[in-house]
Amino acid sequence: MSRVKQHTDYERRMPFWGVRLFGAFRKNHVTNAVRLGRIRVRISAKLREDKEEEVCEMYVIVGLGNPTLKYAKTRHNVGFDAVDLLGKMNHIAVNKRKFKGLTGQGKICGEQVVLVKPQTFMNLSGECVREVMDFYKVKPESGLVVLYDDIYIQPGELRIRQKGSAGGHNGMKNIIAHLKTQDFVRIRIGVGEKPEGMDLADYVLQRFPKAERAEVDDALLRSAKAVEEILSNNVEAAMNKYNQRKS
């Protein structure tokens, strides 16, 4: 049975060689349009990927410390205190048990955040932080801020850095080990150097004397405001504003 090729009215009025030429042109035009469409799809997908990389959808703000009332308000728990204050300032309760820690989710300066207080005890803080980071798919270098105590900084002072080593802090050592990177923002809150001859563990597990308490409370407030500065502007702005030494 012979197969009859269907032509449009325009093609029927053409000579035979014109029909073949027009068909070839139409075929090439369709092929090129398909190719162009595929290119556009690829470009759009790449632009979406780039935009997703640039914009962090969730920030993880971690304060380090030890759980239970035994360690409340000690030098080693200023990270907990800072996150509690940050949550209070922004109406976020940090009381939901999840990821081996206490968490609270909300918005600060228009950005989605999860506040975290690991309940693993200080030396295993990385277990909690890693679970949170994996769950929310947050990259440490763009969406993590850790607040913790530093004995090499005077009470009342802050040091904000974009990255760096643990500096001998066991909680930070464990976080870096679990995340396999030290490229994330940290806010170190000064608790003062231990007296000569005193055991370090005994010192950091002490509560502050009245003479230092006011300075520490001021540092906690400024550390919370530093987080807000990071979220509303950037790390450099927070460093310029809050990395000030006492005169």
Side-chain angles (χ1 to χ4, degrees):
M1 187 178 207
S2 63
R3 301 176 63 184
V4 179
K5 184 178 179 180
Q6 300 296 320
H7 298 285
T8 64
D9 291 340
Y10 184 64
E11 289 172 317
R12 288 194 184 96
R13 291 195 297 270
M14 286 184 181
F16 178 73
W17 60 268
V19 171
R20 294 189 62 182
L21 182 61
F22 180 78
F25 171 80
R26 185 169 59 184
K27 182 179 179 181
N28 289 337
H29 179 71
V30 171
T31 301
N32 290 335
V34 170
R35 287 174 180 168
L36 182 59
R38 288 173 180 170
I39 292 171
R40 285 174 176 167
V41 169
R42 289 171 188 163
I43 292 173
S44 298
K46 184 66 171 63
L47 290 174
R48 283 197 301 271
E49 289 174 5
D50 292 343
K51 187 175 181 181
E52 288 172 359
E53 288 179 1
E54 292 174 2
V55 178
C56 182
E57 295 182 354
M58 174 72 75
Y59 288 90
V60 177
I61 315 297
V62 180
L64 300 187
N66 286 310
T68 76
L69 291 175
K70 177 181 177 181
Y71 302 103
K73 301 299 180 182
T74 61
R75 297 177 190 274
H76 222 20
N77 271 38
V78 292
F80 275 12
D81 296 338
V83 163
D84 282 336
L85 180 57
L86 179 64
K88 184 177 180 180
M89 290 165 57
N90 292 277
H91 310 290
I92 302 173
V94 190
N95 58 9
K96 186 175 182 180
R97 290 195 171 274
K98 199 173 183 181
F99 312 116
K100 299 180 183 177
L102 292 176
T103 68
Q105 193 170 337
K107 278 192 174 185
I108 298 178
C109 300
E111 300 289 349
Q112 288 286 346
V113 303
V114 56
L115 307 183
V116 184
K117 298 195 307 182
Q119 300 293 290
T120 54
F121 285 92
M122 183 67 79
N123 294 358
L124 299 176
S125 299
E127 294 180 6
C128 169
V129 175
R130 178 60 187 269
E131 286 191 24
V132 176
M133 301 295 285
D134 287 349
F135 181 83
Y136 290 105
K137 296 179 175 59
V138 175
K139 295 180 179 180
E141 62 271 19
S142 61
L144 175 63
V145 180
V146 182
L147 300 94
Y148 62 99
D149 59 294
D150 194 315
I151 63 169
Y152 300 111
I153 302 174
Q154 293 185 62
E157 291 188 1
L158 303 178
R159 294 291 180 276
I160 304 168
R161 294 184 65 187
Q162 289 183 310
K163 59 183 178 180
S165 67
H169 193 282
N170 289 333
M172 285 293 286
K173 285 180 182 177
N174 197 250
I175 291 173
I176 290 170
H178 276 273
L179 298 182
K180 295 180 173 55
T181 182
Q182 57 185 17
D183 293 347
F184 55 86
V185 177
R186 70 282 314 273
I187 300 176
R188 294 144 60 203
I189 303 168
V191 298
E193 196 168 356
K194 74 177 182 66
E196 188 176 349
M198 188 176 186
D199 181 73
L200 179 59
D202 291 339
Y203 177 70
V204 297
L205 297 179
Q206 279 185 343
R207 290 177 172 83
F208 292 96
K210 288 184 179 179
E212 294 178 354
R213 189 69 246 182
E215 290 181 319
V216 172
D217 287 342
D218 180 64
L220 293 176
L221 178 59
R222 287 187 292 111
S223 68
K225 289 182 176 179
V227 173
E228 293 179 337
E229 187 74 26
I230 290 168
L231 297 177
S232 60
N233 291 306
N234 51 52
V235 181
E236 290 81 3
M239 292 170 65
N240 292 334
K241 193 170 183 178
Y242 294 102
N243 276 0
Q244 298 177 358
R245 295 182 184 273
K246 291 165 63 176
S247 56

